[in-house]
Amino acid sequence: MTASPIELEVTDKTRAAMRDCIAGQLHSPVMRTLSSGTKAVLKDIAGLQTRATATLGPPIREGESWWVNRRAIQQSTTRQVAKFKACWFGDQSVTDICCGIGGDLIALARRGPTTGIDANQSLLSFTAANLITADVNANLRCLDVMESEPADVVSGSNWIHIDPDRRVDNQRHVQPDAWLPTWERTEALLNQVNGGLVKMAPATTLDSSLSDACHLMWISSGGSVREQTAIWGSLPTPPTTSQGAASWQAGGRTAVVLKHDAAQCYSAESGDSADPASVASAAQSWMIDPDGAIRAAGLTDHFARSHEAQTLGGPSGFLTADWNEPEDAPSSPQHACQHLAMVAPIRDRLSCDDRALRRYFRKANAYPEIIKARSVDIDPGKLGKKLRECGETPLALWIGRNGKKTYAVVTELPKQLPAQEG
């Protein structure tokens, strides 16, 4: 676990200075007592408050701020994802290994007894301050898990959460062999407990011997795939879902879409995700774009098969379907997948060139409020600006490649459904 570049202890004095720094009072009495280096660090932290609030949520305790650095906030778990993972442990004791600035630790501490471990004493000073900001309590221990006995690291907990350092040598590593702690040590820690969650990069690929021993879960939030999580053992209170993930069996994989504090899950059991879906020669009556978590989990074909859809241009492209049931029927395929994908009925199919697109939207007195492009060299932002002046009715434009041909499809805007319990 690489040391943090910030060597600053958070005290009552530095917290007071931070309040002045955020308020723009750079020459306050307490600020004048600090060295230029400390002032520079405080200014940097103050400049990260917007990003920290987006990740960790607004400070709970009035007058406090988030203590972060650029490297730590990049790897920190967002509040919505951390809250979802924390619910797996019920109110039982959990040890959060490599807790960093506390993204997961805060959520875990909010639901029950929690111990946070990190090898960097200076960073733990930030973590302690963030617990105050979040108005929660947790035990903190400065410990190098590579040098300590696994039993001492776990210290009596039956469950662990671990977020290995994946930026060793200031480079991103997606494979476990390059992490700290190493995967060998991570397994040794898991062998000391009943189970736990291991945070990984979305692109991490485990050997089959490992992936068959755990349940892999990809979590998306705010339109982005945030992480892949390996679930080891039968955790106390896994979420119950209507998408077949209630058992969370070893060897399986699940995509989790977090929206409005609800979790929508889509799962496949071991060996059930390999069969390809049927391929469409052209767009049918509906266009479907599965959530990024479904794509990252390798479940696109499985999703298409289970929702009576076909791939258009391969698994990396859009899906299309010729559904006939009423859209609002609870049993309809489009209703079943709208929380897990962007779904819209097709209006027209047309040539994908600027002149044809401009002519179409002008005739329809419309413009593409949403432009989705896959497997094509098109900048949706630039194209949207060109076509914005064509009319007033908002529509959606889908552009992709099917074989050697580039196609364009115009649809209604995808329906935004209210949150459901997950």
Side-chain angles (χ1 to χ4, degrees):
M1 288 158 284
T2 305
S4 165
I6 294 182
E7 300 295 334
L8 173 69
E9 183 179 359
V10 182
T11 63
D12 290 343
K13 178 179 178 179
T14 51
R15 281 212 301 274
M18 176 59 71
R19 286 191 283 270
D20 288 344
C21 190
I22 291 175
Q25 299 173 6
L26 303 181
H27 302 289
S28 68
V30 68
M31 288 291 285
R32 287 199 296 267
T33 66
L34 302 177
S35 68
S36 58
T38 299
K39 290 179 183 178
V41 169
L42 292 178
K43 289 179 183 178
D44 192 50
I45 297 172
L48 292 171
Q49 289 304 299
T50 298
R51 182 173 181 181
T53 298
T55 301
L56 303 173
I60 302 301
R61 188 170 292 187
E62 186 176 356
E64 298 294 341
S65 54
W66 295 117
W67 291 81
V68 301
N69 62 50
R70 296 180 185 278
R71 185 176 186 272
I73 199 65
Q74 286 176 343
Q75 190 166 334
S76 186
T77 304
T78 62
R79 177 180 57 165
Q80 191 177 21
V81 174
K83 180 181 178 182
F84 171 73
K85 291 192 295 179
C87 77
W88 288 70
F89 297 99
D91 59 359
Q92 298 189 24
S93 178
V94 180
T95 297
D96 185 18
I97 301 170
C98 307
C99 65
I101 57 173
D104 284 294
L105 182 73
I106 290 168
L108 290 166
R110 228 179 266 295
R111 44 96 257 162
T114 303
T115 297
I117 292 177
D118 203 276
N120 188 317
Q121 183 65 60
S122 178
L123 193 63
L124 282 177
S125 177
F126 281 32
T127 314
N130 286 334
L131 291 172
I132 294 173
T133 301
D135 200 21
V136 294
N137 296 309
N139 297 320
L140 295 178
R141 300 172 67 200
C142 185
L143 205 64
D144 187 333
V145 300
M146 290 299 296
E147 300 296 330
S148 306
E149 289 296 324
D152 184 43
V153 175
V154 173
S155 188
S157 289
N158 289 325
W159 311 98
I160 62 173
H161 174 275
I162 182 167
D163 181 6
D165 186 352
R166 298 178 298 279
R167 296 173 184 265
V168 181
D169 302 325
N170 293 319
Q171 296 182 19
R172 290 190 180 189
H173 298 279
V174 298
Q175 295 311 118
D177 291 343
W179 298 345
L180 283 177
T182 62
W183 190 261
E184 181 181 7
R185 178 47 59 101
T186 297
E187 286 190 287
L189 292 166
L190 287 166
N191 288 335
Q192 294 290 322
V193 295
N194 294 337
L197 301 179
V198 181
K199 178 179 175 179
M200 304 183 294
T204 296
T205 302
L206 297 181
D207 291 339
S208 59
S209 60
L210 297 177
S211 61
D212 289 344
C214 62
H215 190 99
L216 297 177
M217 171 173 63
W218 284 258
I219 307 173
S220 75
S221 173
S224 298
V225 182
R226 303 294 181 175
E227 66 178 72
Q228 179 185 173
T229 305
I231 305 166
W232 294 83
S234 298
L235 273 69
T237 53
T240 300
T241 76
S242 60
Q243 292 290 337
S247 59
W248 303 97
Q249 295 178 348
R253 51 182 57 199
T254 296
V256 177
V257 182
L258 300 180
K259 291 182 179 178
H260 312 296
D261 288 329
Q264 307 296 328
C265 303
Y266 184 80
S267 293
E269 295 181 0
S270 178
D272 193 30
S273 59
D275 295 338
S278 58
V279 179
S281 59
Q284 299 174 351
S285 57
W286 290 80
M287 292 294 288
I288 307 124
D289 188 20
D291 186 86
I294 291 174
R295 294 186 181 278
L299 296 176
T300 304
D301 279 300
H302 189 277
F303 185 82
R305 286 188 283 113
S306 64
H307 290 93
E308 302 174 23
Q310 296 178 294
T311 58
L312 186 59
S316 62
F318 299 117
L319 306 182
T320 188
D322 196 18
W323 297 322
N324 294 315
E325 283 190 74
E327 181 180 352
D328 56 355
S331 61
S332 67
Q334 56 268 45
H335 187 276
C337 73
Q338 279 179 326
H339 283 290
L340 296 162
M342 187 172 285
V343 182
I346 293 176
R347 286 173 55 118
D348 286 292
R349 304 158 187 80
L350 54 150
S351 299
C352 186
D353 65 76
D354 284 358
R355 185 174 297 178
L357 292 172
R358 191 182 298 273
R359 184 167 56 247
Y360 175 86
F361 282 104
R362 281 179 174 169
K363 185 177 180 180
N365 187 29
Y367 71 97
E369 182 175 287
I370 296 174
I371 298 179
K372 301 189 69 62
R374 283 199 170 274
S375 305
V376 292
D377 187 19
I378 290 176
D379 185 330
K382 291 181 179 178
L383 181 59
K385 288 181 179 179
K386 290 181 182 179
L387 299 176
R388 178 60 186 89
E389 62 186 26
C390 293
E392 299 301 323
T393 303
L395 297 174
L397 174 63
W398 307 58
I399 302 174
R401 187 176 296 278
N402 193 13
K404 296 182 179 180
K405 182 181 178 181
T406 299
Y407 64 85
V409 173
V410 178
T411 72
E412 304 292 345
L413 289 179
K415 178 183 288 188
Q416 299 295 318
L417 295 182
Q420 294 180 347
E421 293 297 324

